[in-house]
Amino acid sequence: MKKTAHIIILTILTLISCNDNRQKAEYQNNRLELVPEPDKNIREKYEQQQKHNLQTNSNIRIDCNQFSKAMTELKKLLEQENYRVEIKEQQNDLWFRSKKNNEKFEVDETISFPKSQYLSIYAKRKNKLEQMQDNWYPSFFVTEICFQDESSAAENYRKITQIINRSDIFNEKNYDYIIQNENRLIYVSCRAKIFEEYAFSYQNKIEEIIKKNKR
């Protein structure tokens, strides 16, 4: 009798153990099904996009709340030299693009900055160009882009310079240049060839203002 009872007890314990293991296995399988392995193609595309974002947006961006001393002094100089200066409210992000010289003119490289990261002024001379039948008033934009530190500004200065100096269908119609001022970039641009000399006449003046403010 004792031997028979012992066999029965062992049989019951074995059945309980097997059932418990089966429940654990089912739980584990259910948990794995709830958190499946991501699709390889989706994961690789996501990783590539993240890598691209790090390459194109390597800097820590900050809000540009007010003009630098150099920009404030430039604004005063423009007003003294017979320009009407207007602070422009930012409506859109600031873009720098280069395009491939192929039939489709596909975008080759792009850098963008949110509207919170830059400030702009629009300078328009009060008197029109002499010896011109049309009412041409020289005008250009001056934009200041803010960065976390000088190294971020220097890296973006290099990238932007490469883009705006390209002879593609997009950039050859822009007449512009860029200057670094510590952790900021000053970007001067105009849309008409006839105004180019007026915009570029302030390049050395801006550089002198920046040097003076560093002393």
Side-chain angles (χ1 to χ4, degrees), residues 120-176:
S120 294
I121 60 174
Y122 174 66
K124 182 177 180 180
R125 209 171 71 168
K126 294 179 181 179
N127 54 305
K128 66 178 183 177
L129 292 177
E130 298 177 359
Q131 300 177 349
M132 295 290 293
Q133 293 181 352
D134 297 325
N135 293 327
W136 291 96
Y137 294 85
S139 61
F140 51 88
F141 286 90
V142 185
T143 301
E144 187 169 54
I145 313 169
C146 304
F147 297 90
Q148 180 72 17
D149 48 47
E150 289 189 39
S151 61
S152 296
E155 176 64 16
N156 280 274
Y157 170 83
R158 182 187 64 80
K159 292 179 180 179
I160 294 171
T161 300
Q162 289 179 347
I163 290 177
I164 65 177
N165 287 340
R166 291 190 180 181
S167 300
D168 56 47
I169 192 171
F170 186 80
N171 287 290
E172 67 182 6
K173 299 297 183 182
N174 286 329
Y175 310 97
D176 47 10

Side-chain angles (χ1 to χ4, degrees), residues 45-58:
K45 288 181 180 179
Y46 175 80
E47 290 173 352
Q48 290 176 357
Q49 184 62 44
Q50 291 297 100
K51 184 178 180 181
H52 175 73
N53 292 340
L54 288 173
Q55 290 174 345
T56 56
N57 301 294
S58 58

